[in-house]
DNA sequence: GTGAAAGCGCTAACAC
DNA sequence: GTGTTAGCGCTTTCAC
């Protein structure tokens, strides 16, 4: 790393300092850093020596100005909703930061005004502060992707272009239907016959996709789904109420939920009725949140492979920013099931 | 001379473009942006008009190079531990991003190699990629603060310099002792007499600080603490085991825990023994995590005012980066108690 | 109040 | 292979 303990540099060394110390021109130092193959090995060694001695690192601003790139990826984050178990965003941020580093990129976070999903993007773009964006909330009606595309801004989406299947931008997503199929089949394998669904309202593409995994699994075993499904808001209390109604009217022995938040609502109802999750009624959530991991007796949950999502996003970003820029098709990844005490 | 129109459609306008359109020199445009007071009002208006017409925004890289500042704040994030309820970091990141924006800063995230807590800082510093750092994990033995100080790198710590009370760097922290005093007093007010403590091992400054709040509250009511405390690892299973032992040997009617993770361990034990949290045994956690918010019947928890922490951090950062740089003393904030069904 | 000149530190082109 | 030249877009002197 060449860190120099104890040294207190007033001003960081520049290319010129290294050039002087190594007895070469500035350009040769630049080549030593960016195109080492161009140098004769003894010159390279001498320059590298000087670089190490001075603890030189290229000035970012200067390099950015010259190369017209910042090696920064912009990511808009919105405040996590209180009272829910949703933490996909935070886990994804961690993965993205890790993966980006390996590709030589840093992640620049900017705040999202919920009222104006486009705010922030434009400024960053016009001031050339970032090389590209990663867009995360591509649910219905979110105009970011379309807007960025008209601006010719490089970006990769985590999430399919649900509303616009003709969209040509690169995206990475997790197969929610496959995840819920997995969850439902897991329950059916354990002998459950009446598996209920609690999901989101019909205008949610993601919600309908996940729901289709449940109904697909039920149908494939010839089991009825009528009266076993409920569509509600993504809150704990909605999950609690929906599960209470379903238990009374449809007598399911298991629940598959579109989110851990809803699944926690089911656990609330079970707890209120003195039913034990996993013994009396099985419950499966979606997201493998911290909540699912620590709530007694453990909530079985569909886990999105966010590390892989981040890796694919960065790969897409690299080809997008490469010379020449390469198009990257959509990538759909398979989730897994984290089985715990609730099923 | 203006850029060839149509050649590079997406190239943002520059100072020169604005100057040409407004019929002034580049420097006047620069002044219009940075020192509007210097311009005659009609000139200013004309320039602002041209800026609006072209959608001009100063190029970051160029400005950074010239002013030797990036308006970027570096924040190292480490992977969130799976199987715990800890989410302080993520909540803080959100708050910091929001607050920084108002001060004209963006947050640059970089990955933390757990094996080398200094990695990343050095590169960012030497390449002048960030103006300052926000350091978050200042627990015992973390050398970041001391190291950054010897490098004269501007930084503000979220967390007191526990190991080095002589440290002079700015910091912001939350009074954990006050939080646990609050939690314990809350339980005592509800009639509990035997309130147990489950905290971290003795070498954790933060853990001992929080513990002191519990013992302080107990002592102030003349209640004994002997045999009522346990020090363990910060895991659910440790909390589960510790609470089982305490219930058997000390018969507490309530638990105060150093973290929501430990509190969830207590809930596990209660659930195993058929005890109802909040009715049979009261439990209070620390962090007000999502877990505390959604687990039935709701986990009472000490909530750190992270929005205020972020605000204080940014304030400290601004005075640190101001001209002249001003020292900023340590700031200690009071947590609150989010009361839920478990108490 | 406005404009001309200089240069931040770097790299892309081209000489040699 | 290496050095020289010319900017990237901006702000900071300092004339006028």
């Amino acid at each position: 790393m060449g860190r120099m303990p104890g040294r207190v540099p007033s001003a960081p060394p520049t290319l010129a300092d290294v050039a002087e110390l190594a007895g070469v021109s500035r350009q040769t130092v630049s080549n030593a850093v960016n195109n080492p193959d161009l140098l004769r090995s003894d010159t390279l060694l001498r320059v590298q020596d000087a670089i190490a001695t001075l603890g030189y690192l290229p000035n970012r601003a200067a390099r950015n100005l010259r190369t017209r790139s910042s090696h920064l990826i912009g990511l808009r984050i919105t405040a996590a909703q209180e009272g829910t178990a949703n933490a996909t965003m935070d886990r994804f941020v961690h993965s993205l930061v890790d993966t980006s580093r390996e590709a030589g990129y840093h992640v620049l976070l900017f705040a999202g005004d919920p009222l104006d999903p486009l705010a922030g993007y434009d400024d960053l773009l016009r001031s050339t502060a970032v090389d590209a964006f990663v867009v995360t909330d591509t649910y219905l009606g979110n105009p970011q992707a379309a807007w960025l595309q008209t601006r010719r801004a490089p970006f990769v989406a985590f999430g399919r272009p649900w509303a616009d299947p003709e969209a040509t931008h690169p995206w990475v997503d997790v197969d929610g239907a496959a995840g819920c199929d997995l969850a439902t089949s897991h329950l059916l394998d354990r002998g459950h016959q009446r598996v209920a669904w609690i999901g989101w309202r019909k205008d949610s593409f993601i919600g309908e996709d996940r729901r289709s995994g449940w109904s697909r699994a039920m149908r494939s075993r010839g089991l009825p789904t009528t009266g076993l499904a409920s569509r509600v808001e993504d809150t704990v209390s909605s999950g609690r109420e929906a599960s209470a109604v379903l238990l009374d009217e449809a007598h399911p022995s298991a629940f598959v939920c579109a989110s851990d938040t809803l699944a926690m609502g089911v656990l609330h109802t079970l707890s209120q009725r003195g039913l034990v999750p996993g013994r009396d009624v099985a419950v499966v959530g979606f997201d493998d949140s911290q909540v699912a991991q620590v709530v007694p007796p453990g909530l079985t949950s569909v886990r999105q492979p966010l590390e892989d999502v981040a890796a694919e996003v960065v790969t897409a970003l690299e080809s997008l920013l490469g010379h020449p820029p390469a198009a990257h098709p959509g990538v759909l990844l398979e989730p897994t099931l984290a089985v715990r005490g609730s099923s």
Side-chain angles (χ1 to χ4, degrees), chain A:
Chain A
M1 299 286 280
R3 202 182 300 122
M4 310 268 304
R7 218 178 81 95
V8 183
S10 45
T14 73
L15 211 58
D17 298 328
V18 178
E20 192 181 10
L21 181 59
V24 296
S25 76
R26 302 206 312 270
Q27 183 53 41
T28 301
V29 179
S30 175
N31 284 335
V33 173
N34 301 306
N35 302 81
D37 300 342
L38 292 180
L39 299 206
R40 217 171 44 211
S41 58
D42 60 329
T43 317
L44 179 60
L45 225 66
R46 210 164 71 245
V47 174
Q48 286 175 333
D49 211 48
I51 288 175
T53 306
L54 294 175
Y56 168 77
L57 222 59
N59 179 302
R60 280 278 233 238
R63 172 176 274 184
N64 292 350
L65 176 58
R66 186 60 233 219
T67 62
R68 296 169 174 290
S69 74
S70 62
H71 278 242
L72 247 36
I73 296 170
L75 178 67
R76 175 179 185 268
I77 57 163
T78 49
Q81 247 184 305
E82 299 274 319
T84 70
N86 310 331
T88 307
M89 181 60 148
D90 292 325
R91 260 186 65 211
F92 176 65
V93 170
H94 283 98
S95 298
L96 184 65
V97 170
D98 278 339
T99 319
S100 308
R101 178 184 54 165
E102 290 159 23
Y105 284 87
H106 284 293
V107 173
L108 181 144
L109 252 38
F110 62 103
D113 178 355
L115 297 175
D116 181 4
L118 259 36
Y121 285 103
D122 195 39
D123 288 0
L124 253 16
L125 203 53
R126 293 202 336 253
S127 62
T128 62
V130 300
D131 288 351
F133 292 100
V134 172
V135 177
T136 51
D137 36 3
T138 57
Y139 53 81
L140 172 64
N142 194 315
Q144 295 161 1
W147 184 84
L148 286 170
Q149 209 154 16
T150 67
R151 303 280 296 203
R152 297 199 187 166
F155 74 100
V156 177
F158 172 16
R160 273 162 280 183
W162 296 100
D164 178 15
E166 306 293 310
T168 57
H169 66 260
W171 56 263
V172 181
D173 204 355
V174 174
D175 192 338
C180 290
D181 188 331
L182 197 63
T184 308
S185 299
H186 159 77
L187 292 168
L188 298 176
D189 288 344
R190 302 230 157 181
H192 292 277
Q193 302 254 357
R194 294 189 66 73
V195 179
W197 168 259
I198 302 181
W200 300 324
R201 294 189 313 180
K202 209 158 190 170
D203 56 2
S204 161
F205 282 104
I206 300 176
E208 289 305 289
D209 181 51
R210 293 187 183 174
R211 186 183 189 283
S212 74
W214 161 76
S215 58
R216 180 169 85 201
M218 294 292 279
R219 266 201 318 276
S220 79
R221 312 261 180 139
L223 294 169
T225 57
T226 315
L228 280 168
S230 184
R231 289 192 178 89
V232 297
E233 294 280 315
D234 189 42
T235 65
V236 174
S237 56
S238 295
R240 180 162 43 75
E241 290 155 16
S243 55
V245 171
L246 282 166
L247 278 173
D248 290 339
E249 299 183 352
H251 312 292
S253 68
F255 288 89
V256 175
C257 303
S259 74
D260 282 352
T261 302
L262 291 173
M264 289 309 295
V266 178
L267 293 191
H268 271 260
T269 295
L270 298 186
S271 147
Q272 279 171 350
R273 302 192 171 192
L275 297 170
V276 175
R279 193 195 64 190
D280 303 325
V281 175
V283 185
V284 180
F286 199 111
D287 260 359
D288 196 27
S289 60
Q290 289 185 314
V291 176
Q293 295 171 20
V294 305
V295 68
L299 173 64
T300 298
S301 192
V302 176
R303 182 178 175 91
Q304 304 195 48
L306 297 186
E307 302 78 10
D308 301 335
V309 172
E312 291 290 348
V313 164
V314 170
T315 301
L317 235 25
E318 283 183 300
S319 46
L320 206 58
L321 297 174
H323 299 287
H328 194 94
V331 175
L332 197 58
L333 299 174
E334 295 296 309
T336 56
L337 191 68
V339 179
R340 301 204 177 82
S342 72
S343 73

